[in-house]
Amino acid sequence: MSELLNQLKDEELDFTVRFTDTDGVYGEYEFLDIVLYQGSEYVVVSPLDADGYVDIFRIMYVNEKEIYVRVTDDETLDNVFEVFRIKNEDEFDFE
């Protein structure tokens, strides 16, 4: 299980996550979900200052450390977002 999920469980109702991606960019995000796509875990988050915008990061493990790689491939972004949308159609307004 991802360290991010463990962090969220420990923080009760605080769904703000903070991490630095592989490009060295630190961010604070509202956690939306973790989805599985083609055998990999992806975290879907929304920057705290961006209403209606999401970022998607692939969760990877290097030397037993969890890292977050920003997804830049349009096809992967679209497919992961579609999995997220279907999974959360009752939670969010996607129109």
Side-chain angles (χ1 to χ4, degrees), residues 2-70:
S2 125
E3 290 175 23
L4 187 58
L5 280 179
N6 287 332
Q7 176 187 348
L8 290 171
K9 287 180 181 179
D10 292 341
E11 293 185 17
E12 301 266 333
L13 297 176
D14 182 4
F15 289 97
T16 299
V17 293
R18 298 160 190 85
F19 60 82
T20 302
D21 68 19
T22 53
D23 295 327
V25 178
Y26 172 81
E28 292 187 352
Y29 303 90
E30 176 185 1
F31 171 81
L32 301 176
D33 202 356
I34 291 180
V35 298
L36 186 62
Y37 173 70
Q38 292 190 341
S40 296
E41 291 180 305
Y42 293 85
V43 61
V44 181
V45 293
S46 179
L48 292 182
D49 59 354
D51 187 34
Y53 175 79
V54 299
D55 277 327
I56 299 175
F57 296 87
R58 182 174 177 195
I59 302 172
M60 298 181 71
Y61 299 90
V62 175
N63 298 327
E64 299 181 23
K65 181 176 179 175
E66 189 169 289
I67 62 170
Y68 307 97
V69 180
R70 185 179 303 272

